Amino acid sequence: MLLLGSCSGLSTLTPEMMDRAEAKWSAGKPVSYRLVVSMEGDRVERGEFDVEVENGVVTSLKRNGKIVNLKSGEDYSMDGLFKMVRNEMDLARNPSLFGAPAGYSAYLMASFDDMGRLQHYRRAVGGISNSIDIQILAFEAKSQSGK
């Protein structure tokens, strides 16, 4: 598992790493941006999400090119991804919540850019096939005029 993390450029995710990244993101995040996120895993059908955020709110979401109706709690913005990863960190304290047999662990790895944006997140669970892999494929800040 350590070899996998080091070859992929990912580091073991720690609360301190997450805190630093989220603080950087919060300090300089644009109010409007476009984000493309790839998500796949053992129990998740591969999807590419194209997300438009205007004034801090998700205004458009497409999955594999098709418009998705926004639902309460569905947030693929950068803030939403941070929330999801924090939730994963909480669950990893008790790996059985991911379906891991007794004695097995959940392994969380991530990388962030200099602005604190999540670049790549991966979860692997020992003793069971329950991984997830999330990559940011594109990020484009919009100017204040929205162009």
Side-chain angles (χ1 to χ4, degrees):
M1 185 53 65
L2 291 176
L3 181 61
L4 177 63
S6 63
C7 291
S8 66
L10 299 174
S11 299
T12 299
L13 183 61
T14 65
E16 296 77 23
M17 178 193 296
M18 190 70 179
D19 291 345
R20 279 192 307 274
E22 209 165 3
K24 284 181 185 179
W25 165 251
S26 293
K29 69 181 174 182
V31 294
S32 299
Y33 57 91
R34 178 176 171 261
L35 174 68
V36 179
V37 181
S38 168
M39 191 176 300
E40 63 186 307
D42 294 316
R43 299 179 183 190
V44 177
E45 183 181 333
R46 188 187 188 296
E48 191 169 291
F49 298 86
D50 193 327
V51 185
E52 296 279 341
V53 175
E54 300 290 335
N55 296 315
V57 176
V58 175
T59 57
S60 172
L61 175 62
K62 294 179 184 174
R63 183 177 193 269
N64 298 331
K66 296 180 181 170
I67 295 173
V68 175
N69 291 326
L70 297 172
K71 298 176 186 168
S72 178
E74 204 172 51
D75 188 350
Y76 292 89
S77 68
M78 189 60 67
D79 289 319
L81 293 173
F82 274 115
K83 184 177 179 180
M84 186 213 63
V85 172
R86 288 237 183 240
N87 186 47
E88 292 256 320
M89 292 173 75
D90 288 343
L91 292 172
R93 291 185 193 134
N94 183 357
S96 66
L97 295 173
F98 288 125
Y104 285 87
S105 297
Y107 304 93
L108 310 182
M109 296 164 282
S111 65
F112 300 90
D113 69 12
D114 292 339
M115 301 297 293
R117 295 183 300 230
L118 179 68
Q119 290 183 307
H120 194 170
Y121 169 76
R122 181 178 297 148
R123 175 213 333 129
V125 181
I128 190 168
S129 294
N130 190 3
S131 67
I132 193 160
D133 192 80
I134 298 170
Q135 292 187 61
I136 307 308
L137 303 178
F139 184 93
E140 178 186 347
K142 295 183 181 181
S143 67
Q144 296 294 54
S145 65
K147 297 181 181 174

